[in-house]
Each structure stands twice: as structure tokens, then as C-alpha cells.
Amino acid sequence: LLASNALDFDDLLLWTALLLEQDPAVRERYARRFEHMLVDEFQDTNQAQYSLLRHLASFHRNLYVVGDTDQSIYGWRGADYRNVQRFEKDYADAQVILLEQNYRSVQSILDVATAVIDRNPYRIPKRLFTQRGQGHKITLYEAYDDRNEAEFVVETIATSAARGQFKPGDFAVMY
């Protein structure tokens, strides 16, 4: 890319972060320009993005981030949930508000999710709750392989639909 005098998206982030790091005048010009900054899904930012934010917020320090380390799913593309922890260290005076109420899931789903994520020693403990009720009991099935797993899912849906317990449209399969 350099030989072709071209940049991809990651290069744009990196070179901009380096410019702000190395040129105080440019950094101050843009840091003064952006008085308030809001970043959603902060847990999915990468190192270059965090560096950009730090530099751009260096004058006014009005940075509002929304993120949950428990929901970081883009590590494969460079996202680093530890940016949430870096933010808490770099902005120790920031107010942290935990969003513990869930509006989508029933309590049984939240309880299972909590049982899994509580094993992470580096997380901020939260008590997830909902007003959508307890929900159905969770079934755990340990499959021999992927085909056995798929058969179990299909049979469970077909049986539940045949018994009239649920309609096929009540199910979602995430793989």
C-alpha cells in the first residue's frame, strides 16, 4: 500500500493517531475543535481508535463512552475490551454507570449468561435483571459433534412445535 501511495481503513486510523501523537499543534487544533465526544460500543474499539479518542479529547476531556466488556465480540478484528479498563484508568474522575437492566431477555437467560461471564476474573461484577419474567428452564445439551448438535436442535424445535408448545417462529438459532 505504501508503495502505491494508498491507505486502507486501518492505515487511516493508525497514521492519524500517529500524527496526533507526534504533532502537538495538530493535536491541539483538533482537540479544541471537538468539545464533546460520544462513543458507543466502546468495548469494540481497537488500540488506534483509543489513541485517537485520547488525543481528540485531550483539551476538553468531555468524553462519553458506552460499552460493556462482557459484550466484546470483535477481538478477531482487533477490538480490545481492555480499552474500557484503560478509559477507567486514564479518566479516573469519570462517572461509571452500570446498565444492569435487560429489556430483551427473560431472567433464566440472564442467569445462564451471568454464570458463564462471572468466570472472567477481569470483569466488573453486575447483577443483570429484567422485568420480562423468569422464562422457561434452560436445557443444557452436550453434543458429541456438530451434526449431533444440529440434530438435537432440529428435533427440539420440531417436537415443541408438534406438541403445540411453541410455533417454529418462536425459535432463533445462532451459530
Side-chain angles (χ1 to χ4, degrees):
L1 287 170
L2 286 176
S4 300
N5 199 28
L7 300 172
D8 64 13
F9 182 72
D10 289 335
D11 292 331
L12 289 172
L13 293 172
L14 176 64
W15 286 107
T16 304
L18 287 173
L19 173 65
L20 296 177
E21 177 82 29
Q22 297 169 355
D23 192 323
V26 172
R27 178 176 57 247
E28 184 173 347
R29 176 181 175 196
Y30 286 100
R32 286 178 178 270
R33 182 176 180 180
F34 300 107
E35 187 174 346
H36 299 277
M37 297 178 59
L38 164 68
V39 181
D40 194 13
E41 302 297 345
F42 189 69
Q43 75 277 359
D44 293 326
T45 58
N46 61 33
Q47 289 282 337
Q49 290 166 323
Y50 186 70
S51 178
L52 277 172
L53 289 169
R54 265 191 26 256
H55 293 309
L56 292 174
S58 63
F59 185 79
H60 297 287
R61 292 183 56 86
N62 291 324
L63 183 55
Y64 182 92
V65 301
V66 178
D68 184 349
T69 56
D70 295 337
Q71 296 184 33
S72 182
I73 60 172
Y74 294 108
W76 55 272
R77 71 167 197 207
D80 189 349
Y81 72 90
R82 293 173 298 188
N83 284 342
V84 174
Q85 296 161 334
R86 289 180 185 100
F87 175 84
E88 291 173 351
K89 181 180 173 222
D90 293 343
Y91 299 88
D93 57 333
Q95 180 181 6
V96 176
I97 301 169
L98 296 179
L99 302 177
E100 298 172 301
Q101 183 170 3
N102 183 292
Y103 297 93
R104 296 179 185 157
S105 302
V106 294
Q107 193 64 48
S108 58
I109 297 292
L110 298 178
D111 292 344
V112 169
T114 299
V116 172
I117 60 179
D118 268 350
R119 294 174 183 241
N120 179 353
Y122 305 108
R123 68 183 293 270
I124 297 168
K126 293 186 285 292
R127 187 186 69 79
L128 301 177
F129 68 94
T130 184
Q131 293 180 346
R132 298 198 65 199
Q134 182 59 37
H136 298 281
K137 184 178 178 183
I138 302 297
T139 300
L140 174 64
Y141 178 78
E142 190 171 343
Y144 176 73
D145 60 19
D146 58 339
R147 290 186 179 275
N148 180 248
E149 180 180 21
E151 288 170 3
F152 174 78
V153 170
V154 170
E155 287 175 19
T156 300
I157 293 171
T159 301
S160 296
R163 291 182 182 157
Q165 295 170 309
F166 299 100
K167 298 180 294 242
D170 292 333
F171 292 89
V173 177
M174 295 177 274
Y175 179 76

